[in-house]
Coordinates of all heavy atoms in Angstrom, one line a residue:
P1 N -16.6 -12.7 4.8 CA -17.3 -13.7 3.9 C -16.9 -13.5 2.5 O -16.8 -12.4 2.0 CB -18.8 -13.3 4.1 CG -18.8 -12.6 5.4 CD -17.6 -11.8 5.5
W2 N -16.8 -14.6 1.8 CA -16.4 -14.5 0.4 C -17.4 -13.8 -0.4 O -17.1 -13.0 -1.4 CB -16.2 -16.0 -0.2 CG -15.8 -15.9 -1.7 CD1 -16.5 -15.8 -2.8 CD2 -14.4 -15.9 -2.1 NE1 -15.7 -15.8 -3.9 CE2 -14.3 -15.9 -3.5 CE3 -13.1 -16.0 -1.4 CZ2 -13.2 -15.9 -4.2 CZ3 -12.0 -16.0 -2.1 CH2 -12.0 -15.9 -3.5
S3 N -18.7 -14.0 -0.1 CA -19.8 -13.3 -0.9 C -20.0 -11.9 -0.4 O -20.9 -11.2 -1.0 CB -21.1 -14.1 -0.7 OG -21.4 -14.2 0.7
G4 N -19.3 -11.4 0.5 CA -19.4 -10.1 1.0 C -20.1 -10.0 2.3 O -21.0 -10.8 2.6
G5 N -19.8 -9.0 3.1 CA -20.4 -8.8 4.4 C -19.5 -8.1 5.3 O -18.5 -7.5 5.0
T6 N -19.8 -8.3 6.6 CA -19.0 -7.7 7.6 C -17.6 -8.3 7.8 O -17.4 -9.5 7.9 CB -19.7 -7.8 9.0 OG1 -21.1 -7.2 8.9 CG2 -19.0 -7.1 10.1
T7 N -16.6 -7.4 7.8 CA -15.3 -7.9 8.1 C -15.0 -7.8 9.5 O -15.6 -7.1 10.3 CB -14.3 -7.0 7.3 OG1 -14.5 -5.6 7.7 CG2 -14.5 -7.1 5.8
Y8 N -14.0 -8.6 9.9 CA -13.5 -8.7 11.3 C -12.0 -8.4 11.3 O -11.3 -9.0 10.5 CB -13.8 -10.1 11.9 CG -13.1 -10.3 13.2 CD1 -13.5 -9.8 14.4 CD2 -11.9 -11.0 13.2 CE1 -12.8 -10.0 15.6 CE2 -11.2 -11.2 14.3 CZ -11.6 -10.7 15.6 OH -10.9 -10.9 16.7
Y9 N -11.6 -7.7 12.3 CA -10.2 -7.5 12.6 C -9.9 -7.6 14.1 O -10.6 -7.1 14.9 CB -9.7 -6.1 12.1 CG -9.9 -5.9 10.6 CD1 -11.0 -5.2 10.2 CD2 -8.9 -6.3 9.7 CE1 -11.2 -4.9 8.8 CE2 -9.1 -6.1 8.4 CZ -10.2 -5.4 7.9 OH -10.4 -5.2 6.6
T10 N -8.8 -8.3 14.4 CA -8.4 -8.3 15.8 C -7.9 -7.0 16.2 O -7.4 -6.2 15.4 CB -7.3 -9.4 16.0 OG1 -7.1 -9.6 17.4 CG2 -6.0 -9.0 15.4
D11 N -8.1 -6.6 17.4 CA -7.8 -5.2 17.9 C -6.4 -4.8 17.5 O -6.3 -3.6 17.2 CB -8.0 -5.2 19.4 CG -9.5 -5.2 19.8 OD1 -10.4 -5.0 18.9 OD2 -9.7 -5.4 21.0
S12 N -5.5 -5.6 17.6 CA -4.1 -5.2 17.4 C -3.8 -4.7 16.0 O -2.7 -4.1 15.7 CB -3.1 -6.3 17.8 OG -3.3 -7.5 17.0
V13 N -4.6 -5.1 15.0 CA -4.4 -4.7 13.6 C -5.4 -3.7 13.0 O -5.2 -3.2 11.9 CB -4.3 -5.9 12.7 CG1 -3.4 -7.0 13.3 CG2 -5.7 -6.5 12.5
K14 N -6.4 -3.3 13.8 CA -7.4 -2.4 13.4 C -6.8 -1.1 13.0 O -6.0 -0.5 13.7 CB -8.4 -2.2 14.5 CG -9.4 -3.4 14.6 CD -10.4 -3.0 15.7 CE -11.4 -4.2 15.9 NZ -12.3 -4.0 17.0
G15 N -7.2 -0.6 11.8 CA -6.7 0.6 11.3 C -5.4 0.5 10.5 O -4.9 1.4 9.8
R16 N -4.8 -0.7 10.5 CA -3.5 -1.0 9.8 C -3.7 -2.0 8.7 O -3.0 -1.9 7.7 CB -2.4 -1.4 10.8 CG -2.1 -0.4 11.9 CD -0.9 -0.8 12.7 NE -1.1 -2.0 13.4 CZ -0.3 -3.1 13.2 NH1 0.7 -3.1 12.4 NH2 -0.6 -4.2 13.9
F17 N -4.5 -3.0 9.0 CA -4.6 -4.1 8.0 C -6.0 -4.0 7.4 O -7.0 -3.6 8.0 CB -4.5 -5.5 8.7 CG -3.2 -5.8 9.2 CD1 -2.2 -4.9 9.3 CD2 -2.9 -7.1 9.7 CE1 -0.9 -5.3 9.8 CE2 -1.7 -7.5 10.1 CZ -0.7 -6.6 10.2
T18 N -6.1 -4.5 6.1 CA -7.3 -4.5 5.4 C -7.4 -5.8 4.6 O -6.5 -6.2 3.9 CB -7.4 -3.4 4.4 OG1 -7.3 -2.1 5.0 CG2 -8.8 -3.4 3.7
I19 N -8.5 -6.6 4.8 CA -8.8 -7.8 4.1 C -9.6 -7.4 2.9 O -10.6 -6.7 3.1 CB -9.3 -8.9 5.0 CG1 -9.4 -10.2 4.2 CG2 -10.7 -8.5 5.5 CD1 -9.8 -11.4 5.1
S20 N -9.4 -8.0 1.8 CA -10.2 -7.8 0.6 C -10.2 -9.0 -0.3 O -9.5 -10.0 0.0 CB -9.7 -6.5 -0.2 OG -8.4 -6.7 -0.6
R21 N -10.9 -9.0 -1.4 CA -11.0 -10.1 -2.2 C -11.2 -9.7 -3.7 O -11.7 -8.6 -3.9 CB -12.1 -11.1 -1.8 CG -13.5 -10.4 -2.0 CD -14.6 -11.2 -1.2 NE -15.9 -10.5 -1.4 CZ -16.3 -9.5 -0.7 NH1 -15.5 -8.9 0.2 NH2 -17.5 -8.9 -0.9
D22 N -10.8 -10.5 -4.6 CA -11.0 -10.3 -6.0 C -11.7 -11.6 -6.5 O -11.0 -12.6 -6.7 CB -9.7 -10.1 -6.7 CG -9.9 -9.7 -8.2 OD1 -10.8 -10.2 -8.8 OD2 -9.0 -9.0 -8.7
N23 N -13.0 -11.5 -6.7 CA -13.7 -12.7 -7.1 C -13.3 -13.3 -8.5 O -13.3 -14.5 -8.6 CB -15.2 -12.4 -7.2 CG -15.8 -12.1 -5.8 OD1 -15.2 -12.3 -4.8 ND2 -17.1 -11.6 -5.8
A24 N -12.9 -12.4 -9.4 CA -12.5 -12.9 -10.7 C -11.3 -13.7 -10.6 O -11.0 -14.6 -11.4 CB -12.4 -11.7 -11.7
K25 N -10.4 -13.4 -9.7 CA -9.1 -14.1 -9.5 C -9.1 -15.2 -8.4 O -8.2 -15.8 -8.2 CB -8.0 -13.1 -9.2 CG -7.8 -12.1 -10.4 CD -6.6 -11.2 -10.0 CE -6.3 -10.2 -11.1 NZ -5.2 -9.3 -10.8
N26 N -10.3 -15.3 -7.8 CA -10.4 -16.2 -6.6 C -9.3 -16.0 -5.6 O -8.6 -17.0 -5.2 CB -10.4 -17.7 -7.1 CG -11.8 -18.3 -7.1 OD1 -12.8 -17.6 -7.4 ND2 -11.9 -19.6 -6.9
T27 N -9.1 -14.8 -5.3 CA -8.0 -14.4 -4.5 C -8.4 -13.5 -3.3 O -9.2 -12.6 -3.5 CB -6.9 -13.7 -5.3 OG1 -6.4 -14.6 -6.3 CG2 -5.7 -13.4 -4.4
V28 N -7.9 -13.8 -2.1 CA -8.1 -12.9 -1.0 C -6.8 -12.3 -0.6 O -5.7 -12.9 -0.7 CB -8.6 -13.8 0.2 CG1 -8.8 -12.9 1.4 CG2 -9.9 -14.4 -0.2
Y29 N -6.9 -11.0 -0.2 CA -5.7 -10.2 0.1 C -5.7 -9.8 1.6 O -6.7 -9.6 2.2 CB -5.6 -9.0 -0.8 CG -5.6 -9.3 -2.3 CD1 -6.8 -9.2 -3.0 CD2 -4.4 -9.7 -2.9 CE1 -6.8 -9.5 -4.4 CE2 -4.4 -9.9 -4.3 CZ -5.6 -9.9 -5.0 OH -5.6 -10.2 -6.3
L30 N -4.5 -9.6 2.0 CA -4.4 -8.9 3.3 C -3.3 -7.8 3.1 O -2.1 -8.0 3.0 CB -4.0 -9.8 4.4 CG -3.9 -9.2 5.8 CD1 -5.3 -8.9 6.3 CD2 -3.2 -10.1 6.8
Q31 N -3.8 -6.5 3.1 CA -2.9 -5.4 3.0 C -2.5 -5.0 4.4 O -3.4 -4.7 5.3 CB -3.6 -4.2 2.3 CG -2.8 -3.0 2.2 CD -1.6 -3.1 1.3 OE1 -1.8 -3.6 0.2 NE2 -0.5 -2.7 1.7
M32 N -1.2 -5.0 4.6 CA -0.7 -4.7 6.0 C 0.2 -3.5 5.9 O 1.2 -3.4 5.2 CB 0.2 -5.9 6.5 CG -0.6 -7.2 6.5 SD 0.4 -8.6 7.2 CE 1.7 -8.7 6.0
N33 N -0.3 -2.4 6.5 CA 0.4 -1.2 6.6 C 0.9 -0.9 8.0 O 0.5 -1.5 9.0 CB -0.5 0.0 6.2 CG -1.0 -0.2 4.7 OD1 -0.2 -0.6 3.8 ND2 -2.2 0.3 4.4
S34 N 1.8 0.0 8.1 CA 2.4 0.4 9.4 C 2.8 -0.8 10.2 O 2.5 -1.0 11.4 CB 1.4 1.3 10.2 OG 1.0 2.4 9.5
L35 N 3.6 -1.7 9.6 CA 3.9 -2.9 10.3 C 4.8 -2.7 11.5 O 5.6 -1.8 11.5 CB 4.6 -3.8 9.3 CG 3.6 -4.5 8.3 CD1 4.4 -5.1 7.1 CD2 2.9 -5.7 9.0
K36 N 4.6 -3.5 12.5 CA 5.3 -3.5 13.7 C 6.1 -4.8 13.9 O 5.7 -5.8 13.4 CB 4.4 -3.3 14.9 CG 3.5 -2.0 14.8 CD 2.5 -2.0 15.9 CE 1.6 -0.7 15.8 NZ 0.6 -0.7 16.9
P37 N 7.2 -4.8 14.7 CA 7.9 -6.1 15.0 C 7.0 -7.2 15.5 O 7.2 -8.3 15.2 CB 8.9 -5.6 15.9 CG 9.2 -4.2 15.6 CD 7.9 -3.6 15.2
E38 N 6.0 -6.8 16.3 CA 5.1 -7.8 16.9 C 4.2 -8.4 15.8 O 3.4 -9.4 16.2 CB 4.2 -7.2 18.0 CG 3.6 -5.9 17.7 CD 4.3 -4.6 18.1 OE1 5.5 -4.6 17.9 OE2 3.7 -3.7 18.7
D39 N 4.1 -7.9 14.6 CA 3.4 -8.5 13.5 C 4.2 -9.7 12.9 O 3.6 -10.4 12.1 CB 3.1 -7.5 12.4 CG 2.2 -6.4 12.9 OD1 1.2 -6.7 13.6 OD2 2.4 -5.3 12.5
T40 N 5.4 -9.9 13.3 CA 6.2 -11.0 12.8 C 5.6 -12.3 13.2 O 5.3 -12.6 14.3 CB 7.6 -11.0 13.4 OG1 8.3 -9.7 12.9 CG2 8.4 -12.1 12.9
A41 N 5.3 -13.1 12.1 CA 4.6 -14.4 12.3 C 4.5 -15.1 11.0 O 4.9 -14.5 9.9 CB 3.2 -14.2 12.8
I42 N 4.2 -16.3 11.0 CA 3.7 -17.0 9.8 C 2.3 -16.7 9.6 O 1.4 -16.9 10.5 CB 4.0 -18.5 9.8 CG1 5.5 -18.8 10.0 CG2 3.5 -19.2 8.5 CD1 5.8 -20.3 10.2
Y43 N 1.9 -16.2 8.4 CA 0.5 -15.9 8.1 C -0.1 -17.0 7.2 O 0.5 -17.4 6.2 CB 0.4 -14.5 7.4 CG 0.6 -13.4 8.3 CD1 1.9 -13.1 8.9 CD2 -0.4 -12.6 8.7 CE1 2.1 -12.1 9.8 CE2 -0.2 -11.5 9.6 CZ 1.0 -11.3 10.1 OH 1.2 -10.2 11.0
Y44 N -1.3 -17.5 7.7 CA -2.0 -18.5 7.0 C -3.3 -18.0 6.4 O -4.0 -17.3 7.1 CB -2.3 -19.7 8.0 CG -1.0 -20.4 8.5 CD1 -0.5 -19.9 9.7 CD2 -0.4 -21.4 7.9 CE1 0.6 -20.5 10.2 CE2 0.7 -22.0 8.4 CZ 1.2 -21.5 9.6 OH 2.3 -22.1 10.1
C45 N -3.6 -18.5 5.2 CA -5.0 -18.3 4.7 C -5.9 -19.4 5.1 O -5.5 -20.6 5.2 CB -4.9 -18.2 3.1 SG -6.4 -17.9 2.3
N46 N -7.1 -19.0 5.4 CA -8.1 -20.0 5.8 C -9.4 -19.8 5.2 O -9.8 -18.7 4.9 CB -8.3 -19.9 7.4 CG -9.5 -20.6 7.9 OD1 -10.6 -20.1 8.0 ND2 -9.2 -21.9 8.3

């Protein structure tokens, strides 16, 4: 949630990806660590 709350991650990215936000910049981030070939995709913000 933009206003804060519980985050959700699909099982395949748990422990590797982190979603966060910067309210001042109106920006949402997805930090992706330990990337795997199966992470290859087009990523969309929603």
Side-chain angles (χ1 to χ4, degrees):
W2 186 271
S3 59
T6 303
T7 57
Y8 165 84
Y9 300 96
T10 192
D11 286 345
S12 63
V13 309
K14 287 180 179 177
R16 301 188 297 120
F17 290 12
T18 303
I19 188 169
S20 62
R21 63 198 181 278
D22 186 330
N23 291 349
K25 296 181 178 180
N26 257 34
T27 301
V28 179
Y29 304 97
L30 185 68
Q31 179 67 46
M32 305 185 295
N33 298 326
S34 301
L35 282 162
K36 305 174 181 179
E38 51 263 44
D39 295 318
T40 296
I42 301 175
Y43 284 71
Y44 298 90
C45 183
N46 169 269

